[in-house]
């Protein structure tokens, strides 16, 4: 018997899917990104409440674009009245290269300018940290709380960065187009980091009842494919896409029938997507020989080692540790060091891994993160210190806001008790 999908979940998925394209359409039409983002957020709110009562419209993106365009007009008129610029801004006509057709015209809502929005959010006049938070909000559709957890920052800091970034983009007079040459190169690293963080939120949701947000991970892959199609000479873009494909290939094996977390060591590898794995490995074989690999290519290579092992016991941990040694030297991400500690423990024993965790505990970015406690618990259990392991599992369960992770960690603590 088939189970009907939850209407609320269906609406949420539609809004997340169409929001970046609607934002692009509104920005293209009116040329005011800072106000357009507010207008689209209000349209999304109207849809979230109205569609539950009236049903999903036949053409959701057109509905959202029309509502956002009307709200945009209202916001501009209010601003123009306050600043005595009503006539000038209401009647201005931008050149064709800056202004597309009206946002609610036929076919406009279907045009995908998401990459343009991403590069716009990463404008050089905006501080890099603010570029990242704004793009995660505008393109990834992540909430302020989700962004804060992903970046290991306070929510208030994230909110301030988003606000400042929108103001700076407006003041810069940025054009709505994909940048070229050196200008594009300056923004590309942030764009890739945003895509990576969006994928990570889809791969392991930071909060909520489900372990994964598959549609969010799939959207990150789709956008990275678009970027790779345009920038096939950029090896790191290919490495990022390979990393996503090799990781996403495990999605169906990561949860049980009730949505419970299944760790890598216990996953049924026959359920891994072999076509996706082959594509990811093919990408790595194309980009790795070009020059010294970057962080995404190295992480992709680590994922490939896991994918090529017939079982967890057959994993080549020596090769993984060697790859992490290189990655740790070029990456400041504490999560990379945490994953490296796990690999070291698998190769040299839990005590070696615990020593690395003690060093990581001094890093304020990760000291309070649930994953640090969870890894510590696992290594303590392997070392035979079951009492300390039980306490660490319980501590990790308190720190995470993901329901499946909480259940898994509490079960582990209970089993040791």
């Amino acid at each position: 018997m088939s189970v009907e999908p939850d209407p609320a979940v269906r609406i949420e998925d539609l809004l997340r899917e169409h929001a970046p394209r609607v934002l692009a359409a509104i920005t293209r039409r009116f040329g005011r990104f800072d106000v357009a983002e507010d207008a689209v957020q209000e349209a999304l709110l109207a849809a979230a409440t109205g569609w539950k009562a009236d049903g999903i419209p036949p053409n959701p993106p057109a509905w959202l674009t029309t509502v956002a365009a009307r709200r945009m007009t209202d916001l501009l008129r209010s601003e123009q009245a306050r600043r005595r610029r009503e006539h000038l801004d209401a009647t201005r006509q931008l050149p064709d290269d800056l202004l597309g057709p009206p946002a609610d015209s036929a076919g406009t809502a279907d045009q995908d300018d998401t990459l343009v929005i991403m590069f716009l959010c990463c404008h050089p006049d905006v501080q890099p940290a603010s570029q990242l938070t704004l793009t995660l909000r505008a393109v990834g559709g992540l909430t302020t709380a989700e962004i804060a957890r992903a970046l290991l920052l306070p929510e208030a800091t994230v909110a301030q960065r988003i606000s400042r970034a929108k103001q700076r983009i407006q003041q810069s007079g940025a054009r709505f187009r994909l940048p070229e040459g050196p200008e594009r190169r300056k923004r590309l690293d942030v764009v890739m980091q945003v895509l990576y963080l969006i994928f990570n939120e889809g791969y392991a949701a930071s909060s909520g009842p489900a372990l994964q947000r598959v549609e969010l991970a799939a959207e990150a892959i789709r956008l990275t494919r678009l970027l790779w199609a345009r920038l096939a000479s950029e090896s790191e873009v290919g490495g990022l896409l390979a990393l996503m494909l090799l990781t996403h290939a495990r999605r169906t094996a990561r949860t049980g029938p009730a949505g419970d977390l299944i760790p890598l060591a216990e996953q049924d590898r026959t359920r891994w997507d072999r076509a996706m794995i082959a594509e990811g490995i093919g990408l790595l074989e194309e980009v790795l020989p070009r020059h010294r690999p970057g962080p995404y290519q190295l992480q992709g290579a680590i994922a490939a080692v896991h994918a090529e092992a017939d079982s967890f016991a057959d994993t080549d941990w020596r090769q993984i540790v060697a790859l992490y040694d290189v990655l740790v030297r070029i990456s400041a991400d504490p999560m990379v060091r945490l994953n490296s500690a796990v690999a070291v423990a698998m190769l040299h024993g839990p005590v070696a891994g615990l020593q690395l965790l003690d060093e990581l505990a001094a890093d304020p970015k990760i000291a309070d993160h649930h994953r640090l406690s969870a890894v510590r618990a696992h290594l303590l259990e392997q070392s035979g210190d079951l009492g300390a392991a039980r306490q660490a599992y319980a501590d990790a369960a308190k720190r995470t806001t993901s329901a499946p992770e909480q259940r898994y960690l509490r079960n582990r603590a209970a089993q040791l008790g």
Side-chain angles (χ1 to χ4, degrees):
M1 183 177 71
S2 62
V3 179
E4 291 295 324
D6 185 343
V9 174
R10 169 64 175 153
I11 291 172
E12 181 180 349
D13 290 347
L14 282 171
L15 297 181
R16 184 179 296 109
E17 175 186 354
H18 296 302
R21 303 183 189 185
V22 174
L23 177 57
I26 297 300
T27 305
R28 186 189 327 108
R29 173 68 182 92
F30 291 90
R32 287 290 303 275
F33 173 80
D34 56 331
V35 185
E37 210 271 337
D38 292 334
V40 171
Q41 289 298 321
E42 294 194 23
L44 295 175
L45 179 61
T49 55
W51 293 1
K52 289 179 182 178
D54 304 330
I56 298 173
N59 191 338
W63 189 99
L64 288 168
T65 305
T66 300
V67 173
R70 290 171 180 167
R71 185 55 185 146
M72 182 73 175
T73 301
D74 292 340
L75 291 171
L76 286 178
R77 284 176 177 170
S78 176
E79 178 184 284
Q80 291 157 5
R82 289 195 306 270
R83 301 184 180 183
R84 298 181 177 275
R85 298 185 310 185
E86 182 172 10
H87 178 72
L88 175 62
D89 285 347
T91 60
R92 68 182 178 130
Q93 294 292 323
L94 296 178
D96 290 342
D97 64 333
L98 298 184
L99 183 62
D104 52 353
S105 65
T108 301
D110 295 329
Q111 183 173 332
D112 191 351
D113 283 329
T114 308
L115 285 181
V116 182
I117 284 290
M118 293 187 72
F119 277 92
L120 180 64
C121 292
C122 298
H123 192 278
D125 281 2
V126 178
Q127 292 294 323
S130 297
Q131 293 173 354
L132 187 58
T133 53
L134 178 60
T135 315
L136 286 170
R137 163 74 177 270
V139 177
L142 303 187
T143 66
T144 303
E146 289 168 343
I147 297 170
R149 284 191 290 269
L151 300 180
L152 309 178
L153 292 171
E155 286 188 42
T157 300
V158 171
Q160 291 171 358
R161 288 181 179 179
I162 291 173
S163 178
R164 287 197 298 266
K166 290 196 293 184
Q167 293 173 4
R168 290 297 298 161
I169 288 175
Q170 172 56 26
Q171 294 167 0
S172 73
R175 297 178 128 200
F176 189 79
R177 59 172 177 78
L178 278 176
E180 299 292 340
E183 183 184 357
R184 183 181 67 201
R185 178 65 259 173
K186 290 179 182 178
R187 307 190 201 184
L188 182 58
D189 288 343
V190 178
V191 169
M192 288 192 293
Q193 187 179 6
V194 166
L195 291 169
Y196 178 62
L197 291 173
I198 293 172
F199 176 81
N200 282 345
E201 180 62 26
Y203 176 74
S206 59
S207 63
L211 178 68
Q212 307 177 89
R213 296 165 65 177
V214 175
E215 79 294 334
L216 191 60
E219 175 65 5
I221 291 174
R222 185 187 72 83
L223 292 173
T224 307
R225 284 191 190 280
L226 290 177
L227 193 63
W228 175 241
R230 288 178 175 267
L231 304 176
S233 62
E234 295 286 351
S235 298
E236 271 293 80
V237 177
L240 176 59
L241 180 56
L243 170 61
M244 291 180 179
L245 292 170
L246 290 164
T247 307
H248 198 54
R250 310 174 198 158
R251 64 194 180 282
T252 57
R254 295 182 62 235
T255 54
D260 293 329
L261 183 155
I262 300 177
L264 180 63
E266 301 172 19
Q267 288 175 18
D268 179 0
R269 299 191 176 209
T270 63
R271 300 182 63 197
W272 287 5
D273 189 329
R274 290 296 158 183
M276 195 168 281
I277 289 173
E279 183 183 359
I281 292 175
L283 277 168
L284 289 175
E285 291 174 344
E286 178 182 348
V287 299
L288 283 173
R290 292 182 181 177
H291 53 71
R292 177 180 292 182
Y296 298 122
Q297 293 172 76
L298 289 169
Q299 290 179 77
I302 292 169
V305 175
H306 284 294
E308 292 174 327
D310 293 332
S311 67
F312 188 77
D314 293 331
T315 304
D316 188 346
W317 290 107
R318 189 172 301 280
Q319 183 178 0
I320 290 177
V321 168
L323 288 167
Y324 269 121
D325 286 344
V326 178
L327 182 57
V328 166
R329 288 198 294 268
I330 64 175
S331 173
D333 187 349
M335 285 297 176
V336 168
R337 294 167 60 200
L338 179 61
N339 293 334
S340 176
V342 174
V344 168
M346 293 304 301
L347 181 62
H348 299 296
V351 174
L354 287 167
Q355 291 174 346
L356 294 175
L357 294 189
D358 289 339
E359 299 173 9
L360 259 179
D363 188 336
K365 288 185 176 181
I366 199 173
D368 295 327
H369 200 281
H370 77 276
R371 281 204 61 210
L372 180 61
S373 296
V375 171
R376 184 182 299 279
H378 177 64
L379 297 185
L380 286 169
E381 181 182 358
Q382 287 189 325
S383 71
D385 192 346
L386 302 187
R390 183 173 62 250
Q391 181 58 46
Y393 277 126
D395 180 64
K398 292 177 182 178
R399 294 178 186 274
T400 182
T401 53
S402 165
E405 287 182 341
Q406 285 177 345
R407 289 196 300 270
Y408 174 80
L409 293 165
R410 287 169 179 164
N411 286 340
R412 295 300 303 163
Q415 289 170 9
L416 294 181

